[in-house]
Amino acid sequence: MHKIFSHLAFAAALAAVAVPASAQFAKPEDAVKYRQSALSVMGTHFSRVGAMANGRVPFDAKVAADNAELVASMSKLPWAAFGPGTDKVGNTKAKPEVWTEQAKYKEASEKMMGEATKLAAAAKTGNLDALKTAFGATGASCKACHDAYRSQ
Ligand code: ASC
């Protein structure tokens, strides 16, 4: 009996590893909600960095670094939720090109993750000019992806 359970547990573990990222969501709607939520949280923290980069709030190196770190972490999350079958779901603004131009789309997402990582590194230096430069580059990578892959 015990042995059967351990076999079952092993089979379940193998299945979990083999399941593609897109199938980690119970419903396609859940994937859309997840990616929109991740992008929204990322945007919130990016805006807090931007407020300092643009001089709207006083520069606080610790706050900038904490927020930039969150941007870099959050930037890794949305992509697994753009799986097959999540293209015409709910209120998604994702364009068909996400799925028809997979290589270019992946490149754009990787560009954004790279810029977000650089933003976190720049914020850690405590140098406001470095933060401004990295903020601009990160924002441009957000915009490039939105222009190509998000409808108005
Ligand atoms: C933000 C945000 C984006 C980007 C983009 C940059 O703060 O939420 O999507 O910056 O607007 O152009």
Side-chain angles (χ1 to χ4, degrees):
M1 200 60 181
H2 202 85
K3 192 134 193 241
I4 289 171
F5 277 121
S6 71
H7 280 307
L8 282 176
F10 184 67
L14 267 188
V17 171
V19 168
S22 56
Q24 287 171 6
F25 300 95
K27 304 191 296 287
E29 290 78 6
D30 294 349
V32 173
K33 190 175 176 190
Y34 177 93
R35 70 202 189 202
Q36 290 178 343
S37 303
L39 288 160
S40 173
V41 171
M42 179 166 55
T44 297
H45 294 287
F46 187 58
S47 294
R48 289 179 190 164
V49 177
M52 285 183 260
N54 295 326
R56 275 183 282 120
V57 309
F59 178 49
D60 180 322
K62 166 96 172 93
V63 174
D66 287 349
N67 280 286
E69 193 61 49
L70 284 165
V71 173
S73 296
M74 295 306 299
S75 75
K76 300 182 177 81
L77 301 183
W79 322 117
F82 285 90
T86 66
D87 53 339
K88 288 169 193 148
V89 176
N91 64 349
T92 189
K93 290 185 195 164
K95 287 185 185 170
E97 283 78 1
V98 169
W99 292 272
T100 58
E101 297 176 1
Q102 281 274 290
K104 276 173 69 185
Y105 160 77
K106 187 163 185 280
E107 198 178 301
S109 68
E110 281 168 359
K111 170 80 175 156
M112 196 281 278
M113 286 188 271
E115 297 298 351
T117 301
K118 285 195 245 171
L119 176 70
K124 274 203 190 88
T125 68
N127 180 310
L128 181 55
D129 283 332
L131 186 75
K132 286 181 183 175
T133 303
F135 177 80
T138 307
S141 72
C142 300
K143 187 176 185 306
C145 216
H146 287 160
D147 289 350
Y149 300 110
R150 184 181 68 172
S151 58
Q152 290 314 307

